[in-house]
Amino acid sequence: MEVDKIIQDLMHKHAGEPEYLQAVKEVLTSIKDVYNQHPEFEKAKLIERLVEPERVIMFRVPWVDDRGEVHVNTGYRVQFNSAIGPYKGGLRFHASVNLSIMKFLGFEQTFKNALTTLPMGGAKGGSDFSIRGRSDAEVMRFCQAFMQELYRHIGPNEDVPAGDIGVGAREIGYLFGTYKKLTHQWEGVLTGKGLEWGGSRIRPEATGYGALYFVNQMLQTRDIDIKGKTVAISGFGNVAWGAAKKATELGAKVITISGPDGYIYDPAGLDDEKIEYMLELRASGNDICQPYEEEFSGSQFFEGRKPWEQKADIYLTCATQNELNGEDADMILAHKPLCVAEVSNMGCTAEAVDKLIAAKQLFAPGKAVNAGGVATSGLEMTQNSIRLSWSEKEVDDKLHYIMHSIHEQCVKYGKQPDGYIDYVKGANVAGFMKVANAMMAQGIV
Ligand code: GLU
């Protein structure tokens, strides 16, 4: 069937799943040409199989809060594709979580994981539970209730979840403890674990570090040095923290962070103390960035606004999906930036992506830029399997190599006749070809 017809059918069938459709449409549009060059793909209904998750698990998560009140949340695990390895991908705990968001994230993860060069399939999971305002004991009880169902569906060779929005080292700890108690097995079933109990060095920093290694290579394609450049970042969570840390280390100046409440503009730039303060903000569990303004004089809080209105050389989305829309893209383009990159998954709307590419803006998508996080999860799995723990340098060197290889794949498949590198096309085609070839080799399953 024609790619356009497949997209149309999907839009009809999944009309209530806008994020999933957005992610699928982007990938299928990118791969149209290569798909048409491979009639055997069409015969094997490859795309029809690729867009359908292998399995969707949905379950009830009942738990009791500190006052004795009972709550019921929905739990999800979307096991999207296992062609190149066991299912792998994070868990998101956030009020916005629904099936469409889980499916879009699982779909993206499939191609992202393929790009990492490591043997990992794609999955995503989570719940519409929000850690905002919850006590530690409540978070623990929720994680225990969540794992009481999830443990049946995961395993080190089956499916290896990790963190995402709302799931950090604390939550991974409670989830791991429950899995171990239920199965009597100490195994590498989750990544993002603490260093003392099987975690990998650099894993907390990896998404942000990897993103900056990638951005640096993007800049090098235009002979630009990152030193001294201003960077506008959104978010203040784990990903934003790692990105701010590495950008600052490389000599760039990070001038914004943001939260659901608005953004902070700090013209002096973030230093080590301010970057550490991001961890405190996050640990407060309030999900706001405004307190930064009181803490650091010279900074300014803009309520209900996005950091994209500030002029910067580099823009990095580090918060959540669709946080940069068409209007934001116009505003950013008017600032004539050197580089724009999605560090959050699908950080830009389809309209924003189209505008940035039409303007030949140096721009790259999340599945390439943020793959360092899951790649380092893959390295954690390897360390667990060989029962060794690598040094910081060993992990960082491997992360460098992986980000370099992802960049090369994007250039290989994304370079246009006029020399412009379409990183969206490059990442989608490279990821697709690997998964497609593996699926073809394994027959109709
Ligand atoms: N949630 C992260 C991502 O979007 C990491 C997943 C993992 O480490 O498995 O890639």
Side-chain angles (χ1 to χ4, degrees), residues 28 98 134 236 241 360 370 374 430 440:
L28 296 194
N98 58 34
R134 289 291 168 203
F236 67 92
W241 167 76
K360 305 266 171 196
N370 75 25
V374 72
M440 289 300 289

Side-chain angles (χ1 to χ4, degrees), residues 241 245 270-282 296:
W241 167 76
K245 224 173 136 158
L270 270 63
D271 55 17
D272 290 350
E273 188 194 350
K274 293 169 179 175
I275 292 168
E276 282 312 292
Y277 180 72
M278 289 168 79
L279 297 178
E280 251 177 71
L281 267 182
R282 188 156 61 107
F296 300 106

Side-chain angles (χ1 to χ4, degrees), residues 233-244:
I233 281 180
S234 62
F236 67 92
N238 175 260
V239 172
W241 167 76

Side-chain angles (χ1 to χ4, degrees), residues 212-402:
L212 264 296
Y213 298 157
F214 194 91
V215 163
N216 217 0
Q217 293 195 53
M218 292 171 75
L219 291 171
Q220 278 164 18
T221 64
R222 294 192 178 180
D223 288 322
I224 300 166
D225 188 349
I226 194 169
K227 221 175 250 160
K229 304 294 181 292
T230 51
V231 187
I233 281 180
S234 62
F236 67 92
N238 175 260
V239 172
W241 167 76
K245 224 173 136 158
K246 188 51 81 177
T248 309
E249 203 184 298
L250 294 173
K253 186 158 113 176
V254 177
I255 53 169
T256 67
I257 58 166
S258 75
D261 53 335
Y263 79 91
I264 295 283
Y265 173 56
D266 188 344
L270 270 63
D271 55 17
D272 290 350
E273 188 194 350
K274 293 169 179 175
I275 292 168
E276 282 312 292
Y277 180 72
M278 289 168 79
L279 297 178
E280 251 177 71
L281 267 182
R282 188 156 61 107
S284 76
N286 294 325
D287 209 11
I288 51 170
C289 68
Q290 181 168 19
Y292 183 107
E293 188 188 31
E294 290 240 321
E295 198 72 22
F296 300 106
S297 62
S299 70
Q300 209 181 339
F301 175 67
F302 291 87
E303 191 175 353
R305 306 179 72 95
K306 299 190 214 174
W308 319 132
E309 63 189 25
Q310 291 294 339
K311 184 172 170 48
D313 296 317
I314 298 165
Y315 292 90
L316 304 177
T317 68
C318 297
T320 194
Q321 70 271 358
N322 291 330
E323 52 173 316
L324 196 159
N325 62 26
E327 245 173 72
D328 300 325
D330 287 336
M331 199 151 52
I332 282 181
L333 286 169
H335 293 141
K336 303 212 177 313
L338 301 171
C339 175
V340 182
E342 287 179 342
V343 191
S344 47
N345 289 310
M346 207 167 75
C348 297
T349 63
E351 193 192 356
V353 173
D354 289 347
K355 285 185 172 179
L356 292 168
I357 292 180
K360 305 266 171 196
Q361 173 65 50
L362 190 56
F363 167 73
K367 63 171 78 69
V369 181
N370 75 25
V374 72
T376 308
S377 277
L379 300 177
E380 182 171 330
M381 288 166 72
T382 307
Q383 293 170 77
N384 291 165
S385 296
I386 59 174
R387 298 185 192 280
L388 277 179
S389 144
W390 292 329
S391 69
E392 189 164 326
K393 181 169 182 325
E394 273 174 297
V395 178
D396 201 32
D397 284 352
K398 288 183 169 61
L399 177 60
H400 261 289
Y401 167 79
I402 289 169

Side-chain angles (χ1 to χ4, degrees), residues 88-90 109 112 124 160 162-164 191 203 345 370 373-374 377:
K88 180 83 195 88
Q109 198 81 43
K112 182 198 309 194
K124 202 80 186 194
V160 183
D164 195 82
T191 57
R203 178 62 191 90
N345 289 310
N370 75 25
V374 72
S377 277

